[in-house]
Amino acid sequence: MSGSNGQTDTRTYQSLAEDCPFGSVEQPKRSTGRLVMHSMAMFGREFCYAVEAAYVTPVLLSVGLPKSLYSMVWLLSPILGFLLQPVVGSVSDHCRARWGRRRPYILTLGIMMLLGMALYLNGDAVVSALVANPRRKLVWAITITMIGVVLFDFSADFIDGPIKAYLFDVCSHQDKEKGLHYHALFTGFGGALGYLLGAIDWVHLEVGRLLGTEFQVMFFFSALVLTLCFVIHLCSIPEAPLRDSAQDPPSEQVSQGSSSLADGMHEYGSIEKVKHDGADPELVMQGGKTKKGSEQSQRAMSMRSLLRALVNMPLHYRCLCISHLIGWTAFLSNMLFFTDFMGQIVYHGDPYGAHNSTEFLIYERGVEVGCWGLCINSLFSSLYSYFQKALVSYIGLKGLYFMGYLLFGLGTGFIGLFPNVYSTLVLCSMFGVMSSTLYTVPFNLIAEYHREEEKEKRQEAPGAPESSGRGKGVDCAALTCMVQLAQILVGGGLGFLVNMAGSVIVVVMTASAVALIGCCFVALFVRYVD
């Protein structure tokens, strides 16, 4: 980010890791255990996502939510996330908490996820116990449930950016790649376990009788898994806080840290040290004088400067964001309507029939089988994430990216053209390929871009101003907010397409067409670092 321009109201921040004038120092190798601990946040988040996918519609129906409010429930969260995520990404780049830059936001969003689950899974029971008037009870139950769903979706979508930025801050380039694969691996495991637990009939088990209803059982398990996973994640790798250079003059910074810097250098984003035998103490002493205008200088961004930074992103970043938007639009188009597709098209059921009719029971059976298909998707996503590490050395990131979109486009196309139960369940494995691809390859490319930029900056003159006002948090947020934009497009457009076509099969065919368009885009327009 741009350095101080001489104005007295400009406040400059730098990380404890950024006290050396030699540019970025390579991070130490992280153990597999540390990377697994870091990935537990994705396990907990996806577990709770699966629980929401299985239970949020029955919850909304049980409280009597009017159909006119359905679009508000599903569109409000992605709209908020799309507007606010880059802002919070920028703010986290300048966070000065003692815990570091990313972990305070991850903790806050994790608590908001827990609160959202508590509201939408337990709100109806709490309102029923506290409110006697039937009309007021209905209003309060709908209100609290809606708030819970929006709060959970907003937090769960939002938290991906800080988690990725945290990984990028504290890991070497090789460990970033490993960490992203572990993220995808545990994302699949978490989703599979969530879907499996959702398929169990808890009402007739002792746990169900003890806790009350099936909704309370799932809240108990979700809260327990989420809390444990986030505690492990936050304790995985420590971060270094930012220091305010206006409050800590360079002379004080040197006197406090020169002895340690002579022996080793604090690394960007980590409180751990790496030996640097070639460090010259005299150069270190001069570090505070040369930092202004260098890559270590970071200035708190206003909303205007943030928007300018996003608009002026390099072309290859914008192309990556567009490809991510295309991929998530295709993926969500299929996933959000998949169980309905199974019930109506594959099983020929009728969701609008009487609840005791044969057609409605057949539809419910199709929905249950569709949940097993989503479980296959999650399991195959984990399996494919494991093999990605071997495949990337043969076909590269471009091959992985292209193959993920291609297999998903062909798989959904065959499902739409030949809606058979067994072939559909087999082709659900292609959903897992796409899921793993979306969770890993774009962020691997972001890491490659960052590494390339760091190499270029190390070759520049020490006092040269930075060409960008972005930090890693902003870049990760810009990429992940494409997921929210995809949700807005899917939520606002697919319902119209279904009404026009008169059949939900148009959803699957749309997903296939968008994914195949994405194949061409990632092959022709996305930039890959050699």
Side-chain angles (χ1 to χ4, degrees), residues 384 391 395 398-408 433 437 519:
Y384 182 72
L391 286 173
I395 61 177
K398 183 175 183 178
L400 285 178
Y401 214 6
F402 180 83
M403 187 171 68
Y405 280 61
L406 178 64
L407 291 178
F408 180 80
V433 173
T437 299
C519 283

Side-chain angles (χ1 to χ4, degrees), residues 320-502:
L320 183 60
C321 287
I322 293 172
S323 70
H324 205 52
L325 173 63
I326 294 173
W328 274 104
T329 301
F331 187 70
L332 292 175
S333 298
N334 180 72
M335 299 301 288
L336 293 181
F337 291 86
F338 180 70
T339 53
D340 189 45
F341 170 81
M342 288 291 290
Q344 289 196 59
I345 304 301
V346 178
Y347 273 78
H348 307 289
D350 183 9
Y352 305 105
H355 283 201
N356 59 351
S357 65
T358 303
E359 291 79 7
F360 183 79
L361 295 176
I362 291 175
Y363 173 80
E364 282 196 325
R365 175 59 181 165
V367 171
E368 291 176 2
V369 175
C371 288
W372 283 107
L374 295 179
C375 183
I376 293 172
N377 152 61
S378 297
L379 289 173
F380 203 84
S381 175
S382 293
L383 183 64
Y384 182 72
S385 299
Y386 179 79
F387 287 106
Q388 262 190 342
K389 292 184 290 184
L391 286 173
V392 72
S393 61
Y394 292 100
I395 61 177
L397 290 176
K398 183 175 183 178
L400 285 178
Y401 214 6
F402 180 83
M403 187 171 68
Y405 280 61
L406 178 64
L407 291 178
F408 180 80
L410 294 177
T412 50
F414 278 118
I415 287 174
L417 294 173
F418 309 103
N420 176 271
V421 177
Y422 299 106
S423 63
T424 299
L425 289 178
V426 171
L427 289 172
C428 282
S429 58
M430 299 301 100
F431 305 168
V433 173
M434 184 65 159
S435 173
S436 178
T437 299
L438 291 173
Y439 278 120
T440 55
V441 177
F443 293 98
N444 270 321
L445 289 172
I446 284 280
E448 293 280 2
Y449 297 161
H450 287 162
R451 183 172 68 161
E452 184 181 52
E453 289 175 358
E454 289 169 1
K455 287 181 179 179
E456 292 175 355
K457 289 173 184 176
R458 281 198 291 267
Q459 298 171 0
E460 293 176 356
E466 283 194 6
S467 59
S468 172
R470 306 178 340 272
K472 293 181 180 178
V474 174
D475 286 341
C476 290
L479 191 61
T480 54
C481 75
M482 293 299 103
V483 182
Q484 279 83 51
L485 183 56
Q487 290 181 31
I488 295 170
L489 295 176
V490 171
L494 279 186
F496 174 76
L497 285 178
V498 172
N499 290 332
M500 289 288 293

Side-chain angles (χ1 to χ4, degrees), residues 1 15 18 27 30 35 38-39 41-42 45 85-95 99-106 109 157-173 175-177 179-180 183 233-234 236-240 242 267-270 298 439-440 442-444 446-447 450 454 470-481:
M1 297 185 181
S15 169
E18 297 170 350
Q27 296 284 352
R30 304 296 180 188
L35 295 176
H38 195 279
S39 304
M42 302 303 294
R45 189 192 79 147
Q85 196 154 22
V87 177
V88 173
S90 174
V91 173
S92 72
D93 282 332
H94 301 88
C95 177
W99 254 28
R101 288 185 289 178
R102 318 298 179 186
R103 289 190 293 176
Y105 291 92
I106 295 172
L109 292 168
D157 291 339
F158 220 110
I159 205 169
D160 193 43
I163 289 174
K164 294 296 191 297
Y166 177 18
L167 177 72
F168 288 178
D169 284 349
V170 299
C171 289
S172 66
H173 183 74
D175 286 339
K176 288 175 190 176
E177 293 181 347
L180 288 172
H183 279 196
H233 169 77
L234 294 171
S236 59
I237 305 173
E239 290 184 279
L242 293 183
E267 297 180 292
Y268 180 75
S270 171
Q298 297 185 14
Y439 278 120
T440 55
F443 293 98
N444 270 321
I446 284 280
H450 287 162
E454 289 169 1
R470 306 178 340 272
K472 293 181 180 178
V474 174
D475 286 341
C476 290
L479 191 61
T480 54
C481 75

Side-chain angles (χ1 to χ4, degrees), residues 75-120:
L75 290 178
L76 185 58
S77 169
I79 290 172
L80 289 174
F82 178 71
L83 295 175
L84 296 178
Q85 196 154 22
V87 177
V88 173
S90 174
V91 173
S92 72
D93 282 332
H94 301 88
C95 177
R96 298 181 60 233
R98 293 179 61 187
W99 254 28
R101 288 185 289 178
R102 318 298 179 186
R103 289 190 293 176
Y105 291 92
I106 295 172
L107 176 62
T108 302
L109 292 168
I111 293 173
M112 290 170 62
M113 286 178 62
L114 194 61
L115 178 60
M117 283 193 304
L119 291 177
Y120 84 76

Side-chain angles (χ1 to χ4, degrees), residues 23-169:
S24 300
V25 180
E26 184 69 7
Q27 296 284 352
K29 181 177 177 58
R30 304 296 180 188
S31 66
T32 299
R34 290 285 182 178
L35 295 176
V36 168
M37 289 173 65
H38 195 279
S39 304
M40 292 307 294
M42 302 303 294
F43 180 93
R45 189 192 79 147
E46 202 65 22
F47 179 92
C48 295
Y49 255 145
V51 170
E52 185 201 33
Y55 283 92
V56 71
T57 300
V59 168
L60 292 173
L61 292 174
S62 68
V63 299
L65 180 72
K67 291 184 178 180
S68 59
L69 295 179
Y70 265 73
S71 60
M72 183 185 297
V73 172
W74 297 119
L75 290 178
L76 185 58
S77 169
I79 290 172
L80 289 174
F82 178 71
L83 295 175
L84 296 178
Q85 196 154 22
V87 177
V88 173
S90 174
V91 173
S92 72
D93 282 332
H94 301 88
C95 177
R96 298 181 60 233
R98 293 179 61 187
W99 254 28
R101 288 185 289 178
R102 318 298 179 186
R103 289 190 293 176
Y105 291 92
I106 295 172
L107 176 62
T108 302
L109 292 168
I111 293 173
M112 290 170 62
M113 286 178 62
L114 194 61
L115 178 60
M117 283 193 304
L119 291 177
Y120 84 76
L121 287 174
N122 302 299
D124 188 29
V126 173
V127 169
S128 298
L130 297 178
V131 181
N133 185 288
R135 183 175 179 81
R136 289 182 60 194
K137 183 172 76 171
L138 176 64
V139 173
W140 276 104
I142 292 175
T143 302
I144 289 177
T145 303
M146 285 181 61
I147 291 174
V149 172
V150 171
L151 184 62
F152 174 82
D153 276 341
F154 172 80
S155 306
D157 291 339
F158 220 110
I159 205 169
D160 193 43
I163 289 174
K164 294 296 191 297
Y166 177 18
L167 177 72
F168 288 178
D169 284 349

